[in-house]
Amino acid sequence: MVMMIETLSLGDARRMLMTAEAKAAQIGVPSNIAVVDAGGNLLAFARMDGAWLGSIDIAIDKAFTARAFDMTTEELGAMSQPKRMTFGIQNTNHDRVVIFGGGVPVKVGETVIGAIGSSGGTVDQDVEIVEAALAAFEEERSRHAVI
């Protein structure tokens, strides 16, 4: 028996990157943007001109974190404050876990099929960039939904 797992396609990832780059350019924030598939593996990446080198791994790790825990990095951050149940979680997974905003899972219904992360601006700017890409993905998906 072969089990099929729904995942983001390379085309989906490229479209999300284009939307994220456009949003980053609109708000004047050179960014690193990463998209991972359902397995948390890097599917597509863009480093905009002028984006910080130090933010490359952060963007990739934000996307990984959002997929690994199936929640936004911001939500995980709220859960991992001192005296909370996941305090210290950022020190796991070979230090790849990010606990501040800018990573969001990509879902179809309740199924997580990948994630996107952005780094290069403030946390609020990074969140704005990934939310724009996610909204565009969801809009595109709903236009092609079979009714």
Side-chain angles (χ1 to χ4, degrees), residues 52-131:
W52 293 328
L53 292 174
S55 290
I56 293 170
D57 288 338
I58 296 170
I60 294 168
D61 290 348
K62 283 181 179 183
F64 166 80
T65 300
R67 175 56 189 109
F69 296 97
D70 294 343
M71 67 179 71
T72 69
T73 54
E74 194 168 21
E75 290 171 313
L76 185 61
M79 293 171 53
S80 61
Q81 296 304 304
K83 299 184 181 181
R84 299 293 308 264
M85 70 177 185
T86 58
F87 179 68
I89 197 165
Q90 71 276 11
N91 300 317
T92 67
N93 292 275
H94 305 285
D95 296 322
R96 292 193 65 194
V97 177
V98 178
I99 59 169
F100 50 89
V104 296
V106 179
K107 297 180 179 182
V108 172
E110 292 302 310
T111 303
V112 178
I113 63 168
I116 183 169
S118 178
S119 183
T122 65
V123 169
D124 289 342
Q125 290 168 327
D126 292 346
V127 169
E128 186 177 355
I129 290 164
V130 295
E131 285 181 350

Side-chain angles (χ1 to χ4, degrees), residues 20-43:
E21 287 179 66
K23 178 50 106 175
Q26 177 190 14
I27 63 176
V29 178
S31 297
N32 292 288
I33 305 151
V35 179
V36 299
D37 63 15
N41 301 296
L42 186 62
L43 184 58

